[in-house]
Amino acid sequence: MDTRDLISILPLLVLAGWACLLLLIDLFVPRDRKSITAILAAIGISVALVINLMQLGEVRQAFNGMIVLDGFASLLITLFLAVGLIAIAQAYDYIKRRGIERGEYYSLLLFTLCGMLLMATAGDLIVVFLALELLSIPLYVLAGFARPQLESEEAAIKYFLLGAFASGFVVYGIALIFGATGTTALDGIVASFAATQENPVLLLVGSGMILVGLGFKVAVVPFHMWTPDVYHGAPTAVTAFMSVGAKAGGFAALLRVFLAAFPELSAAWAPMAMWIAALTMAWGNIAAIAQKNIKRMLAYSSIAHAGYILMALPAAANPTVAPEALRAVLFYLFGYAITNLGAWGVVVAMEKAEGGGLAIEDYSGLSNRRPGFALAMALFMLSLTGMPPTVGFIGKFYIFRAVIDADLIWLALVGVITSLISAYYYLRVIVVMYMRSGEPETRSESWLNATVWLTGLGTIVFGIVPGPLLALASQSWLSSLVP
Amino acid sequence: MTLDLILFFGIAFIAVVSAISMLISRNAIYSALFLVLNFVAIASLYLLLNAAFIAMVQVTVYAGAIMVLFLFVIMLLGAERVETSPSLPWQLPVAILLGLVLVAEFAYVLFGKVAQAGGELTGVGEGFGSPASVGRMLFDQYLIPFEVTSILLLVAMVGAIVLTRDDRKGSR
């Protein structure tokens, strides 16, 4: 270990250290002034973000290959930290209003972010597993933060049990892979298998287990059952963060592990990922139609979007399409994060203190009461559907193009058809907001409003001028794929 | 060689019997004590394999620390009497199926892999698994996982406190 190793993980070090420190500082913050903790947490994230942006474009390994810093990692870290900042802004007044304001909220948020950062930079299956746990455990707690409210407790227990079950799959998979190749390093697995071609069965079963375990985390069908209940029961600000951060973290691991460690087995996992993606898109969108509660609707929508993102994995299995698919998936993750955080922000603003105001019907007449919010929500819905001129359209366009270039025409077709289906339930929200009359109660909290405006602006700006972000995404390679 | 075999079978017998007794015992305290016995038997197997360090860790961490905690919890909650709860109807077939899968997997590794190597597995080098070499691995190659684990434990602790602390009774 030398200083270069430490510098490589400096954002992570700052964040983890700051989170521990925050736990201590919080003890001295009076109970009615926990906003101080929120602001301190935001400062910590900002510092990590600045350091990360300074490191953008560097490619190196650290800690004997345990940590891989490359464009892919740097870009995703940028995403995670930005999501973390928005999550703090959205939680700032929300947890006060719900009466669940405790300083640990922010420390746990920082710890989750640490897990995500580690996930993006993991170069070894052991680190992948630990990152997964570091990401998940604080989220279990955050999901139950509105305790003793029953729904929140149920969400926490469900999430914890199924999450632990999924972790079991990942560990078992890692054990089998270690048994097959004698190593857990991602590049070591490739090298070992290429050299000996031994134990393909164990390796295959192991990689399948990892796919199942990570599939739980990103909520793809048939591992999605927990999602609606957990997203519904958890405090809305947590759900917003979870639906974006945990998903992006899971996909970061999924892409890196499968593209860096198992490229030789792509003939086996690519069809599997293909079917899961198709099923996810179909079921997520169809089940969303029947939902009356906006949180459950958005939960199924997030399942469907996991399907669209997963489409890129089989496409990337084809080496000639891999750069394009990777660029598409990174862009999509950004677009999805911006849009989804915005949509959840509006839901946070609409939620009443007692937990009411979450039915889609409650949005009737929003266009009269808060025209700006209604417009932003309409924009988010259009973006989630994938209509121009929003970022969602560009994201879907590039994903579909990568899939078609990989000769998976039918998969792209499934994607297009399910997007059409999704228009029904996304547009229904717009119809309710603009064409029904009602007197919805909304909150106007400055930080929350700021996140909605900001994400709304992002949705439209990146939809019209996607160039810079695309250029950034296309430079963001997985270091193992550099020719 | 024969002494090794006799020892192995003796210890293995104890391990298997204590494991089964743990499962079928109706009293949770007896179950926990059988588990301790099982851990100790496994630790002796490690000793037979020349893995003294792992054997000691097995005894101190599992048989010692963790099982004492288990016993505390069982006694504090007064949960030693296991209620005969109605078992899930599909539990038995699923358990048998999964058990068979596990056996098949072991068979594959043992008869496929070991037979491939001609029945002879090469021994490990001198000093493998000694405290010094484990320490060196832990603080060199596996430094990051080691440190992350410590953060993970801290987070779990904070989480447990957050989820169980009672705020209503005028605490800070």
Side-chain angles (χ1 to χ4, degrees):
Chain A
M1 187 189 83
D2 55 26
T3 30
R4 283 172 51 87
D5 285 355
L6 287 179
I7 290 170
S8 309
I9 58 161
L10 204 53
L12 179 64
L13 281 181
V14 167
L15 210 57
W18 193 242
C20 295
L21 214 62
L22 207 59
L23 277 175
L24 290 178
I25 296 174
D26 181 57
L27 292 177
F28 300 100
V29 178
R31 199 172 172 74
D32 50 344
R33 297 175 68 187
K34 291 296 180 195
S35 322
I36 297 173
T37 315
I39 290 163
L40 287 176
I43 290 172
I45 298 179
S46 310
V47 170
L49 188 60
V50 168
I51 296 171
N52 177 59
L53 288 176
M54 274 155 52
Q55 285 184 335
L56 216 60
E58 288 189 38
V59 177
R60 62 164 173 271
Q61 292 200 340
F63 294 100
N64 303 312
M66 290 276 163
I67 296 289
V68 179
L69 187 69
D70 52 16
F72 180 79
S74 301
L75 195 64
L76 280 173
I77 290 176
T78 313
L79 174 68
F80 293 142
L81 293 174
V83 169
L85 279 177
I86 293 180
I88 288 184
Q90 287 186 341
Y92 188 79
D93 284 310
Y94 176 78
I95 59 173
K96 265 185 219 164
R97 181 196 329 159
R98 288 282 303 267
I100 52 173
E101 190 183 35
R102 268 172 287 170
E104 289 89 358
Y105 187 97
Y106 301 107
S107 312
L108 288 169
L109 200 78
L110 291 195
F111 280 122
T112 311
L113 280 175
C114 290
M116 292 174 190
L117 259 58
L118 202 61
M119 196 84 126
T121 48
D124 192 293
L125 287 177
I126 294 179
V127 180
V128 169
F129 172 68
L130 288 171
L132 192 68
E133 289 304 287
L134 192 54
L135 187 165
S136 308
I137 290 178
L139 277 183
Y140 304 148
V141 182
L142 286 177
F145 217 80
R147 184 187 68 89
Q149 202 187 59
L150 221 55
E151 276 177 345
S152 177
E153 286 187 345
E154 180 196 338
I157 285 282
K158 257 190 189 148
Y159 195 26
F160 171 66
L161 287 180
L162 283 172
F165 187 57
S167 300
F169 272 98
V170 175
V171 177
Y172 197 29
I174 293 172
L176 289 179
I177 289 163
F178 181 74
T181 59
T183 176
T184 51
L186 296 183
D187 46 3
I189 292 169
V190 187
S192 160
F193 186 71
T196 61
Q197 297 288 318
E198 262 178 11
N199 302 316
V201 181
L202 285 185
L203 203 56
L204 211 59
V205 176
S207 61
M209 293 256 177
I210 291 183
L211 185 62
V212 171
L214 292 176
F216 264 105
K217 288 288 160 201
V218 298
V220 290
V221 177
F223 315 116
H224 67 288
M225 275 83 92
W226 56 273
T227 318
D229 290 343
V230 173
Y231 281 20
H232 181 210
T236 310
V238 175
T239 312
F241 175 62
M242 191 156 65
S243 72
V244 173
K247 210 170 276 274
F251 273 112
L254 208 59
L255 288 167
R256 189 184 288 279
V257 168
F258 277 83
L259 296 180
F262 310 132
E264 311 240 359
L265 298 174
S266 64
W269 55 254
M272 207 151 63
M274 212 151 73
W275 281 105
I276 294 177
L279 266 177
T280 308
M281 289 184 286
W283 180 242
N285 282 318
I286 290 169
I289 291 176
Q291 303 306 319
K292 300 224 159 25
N293 181 300
I294 190 112
K295 279 174 97 173
R296 293 187 86 85
M297 190 273 266
L298 283 175
Y300 277 107
S301 142
S302 86
I303 295 173
H305 281 276
Y308 293 117
I309 302 170
L310 189 64
M311 274 205 306
L313 187 62
N318 184 337
T320 50
V321 191
E324 197 190 332
L326 212 58
R327 180 182 71 165
V329 90
L330 285 171
F331 186 86
Y332 198 100
L333 279 174
F334 264 94
Y336 171 75
I338 294 170
T339 311
N340 216 39
L341 279 174
W344 280 106
V346 174
V347 177
V348 170
M350 291 286 293
E351 187 173 341
K352 292 181 190 139
E354 330 76 75
L358 291 172
I360 294 175
E361 289 305 315
D362 290 337
Y363 285 67
S364 314
L366 189 64
S367 59
N368 288 327
R369 181 55 71 91
R370 295 285 297 274
F373 258 43
L375 186 68
M377 190 61 168
L379 205 61
F380 299 137
M381 290 298 124
L382 289 177
S383 177
L384 286 172
T385 320
M387 295 211 190
T390 57
V391 70
F393 167 73
I394 311 282
K396 271 192 179 149
F397 173 77
Y398 281 104
I399 287 245
F400 289 161
R401 206 177 74 173
V403 172
I404 290 170
D405 284 350
D407 280 332
L408 304 171
I409 312 282
W410 72 271
L411 190 60
L413 218 59
V414 172
V416 172
I417 291 171
T418 52
S419 296
L420 285 178
I421 296 174
S422 74
Y424 175 77
Y425 63 87
Y426 288 131
L427 295 186
R428 196 178 57 189
V429 176
I430 301 181
V431 169
V432 167
M433 285 190 305
Y434 279 91
M435 306 199 175
R436 303 260 175 87
S437 55
E439 290 292 311
E441 225 181 276
T442 57
R443 314 250 162 193
S444 189
E445 294 158 348
S446 44
W447 282 109
L448 183 60
N449 291 351
T451 66
V452 173
W453 301 137
L454 201 69
T455 49
L457 200 68
T459 307
I460 196 93
V461 166
F462 287 121
I464 295 169
V465 207
L469 189 55
L470 266 176
L472 201 62
S474 58
Q475 288 160 10
S476 301
W477 275 89
L478 275 166
S479 64
S480 63
L481 293 182
V482 172
Chain B
M1 197 65 208
T2 40
L3 185 66
D4 269 10
L5 269 184
I6 294 166
L7 271 174
F8 170 77
F9 279 112
I11 295 166
F13 180 74
I14 297 172
V16 171
V17 168
S18 60
I20 293 173
S21 314
M22 186 213 113
L23 284 178
I24 59 176
S25 161
R26 284 262 161 266
N27 188 320
I29 297 275
Y30 293 166
S31 282
L33 290 176
F34 275 124
L35 193 57
V36 173
L37 182 61
N38 180 264
F39 283 153
V40 173
I42 301 286
S44 335
L45 285 181
Y46 287 143
L47 271 181
L48 277 186
L49 290 169
N50 275 333
F53 181 67
I54 295 180
M56 282 348 278
V57 169
Q58 169 89 3
V59 170
T60 48
V61 176
Y62 283 98
I66 290 184
M67 285 319 295
V68 168
L69 223 90
F70 261 54
L71 282 172
F72 267 139
V73 171
I74 293 170
M75 288 174 170
L76 278 177
L77 297 181
E80 58 262 36
R81 280 277 151 210
V82 183
E83 302 276 320
T84 43
S85 54
S87 54
L88 302 167
W90 42 266
Q91 196 179 18
L92 192 66
V94 171
I96 291 175
L97 185 76
L98 289 180
L100 285 178
V101 169
L102 199 63
V103 169
E105 198 184 314
F106 282 149
Y108 171 78
V109 173
L110 276 179
F111 297 110
K113 187 89 170 93
V114 180
Q116 215 175 44
E120 290 288 324
L121 290 174
T122 47
V124 293
E126 190 73 20
F128 182 86
S130 70
S133 64
V134 169
R136 206 163 289 137
M137 285 288 257
L138 217 49
F139 289 101
D140 183 31
Q141 175 70 34
Y142 293 100
L143 180 67
I144 280 280
F146 182 74
E147 297 295 347
V148 173
T149 310
S150 62
I151 294 181
L152 202 55
L153 292 176
L154 174 71
V155 171
M157 214 155 62
V158 171
I161 293 170
V162 167
L163 282 183
T164 51
R165 193 175 57 184
D166 196 350
D167 280 336
R168 281 161 297 180
K169 278 188 226 131
S171 56
R172 268 179 17 100

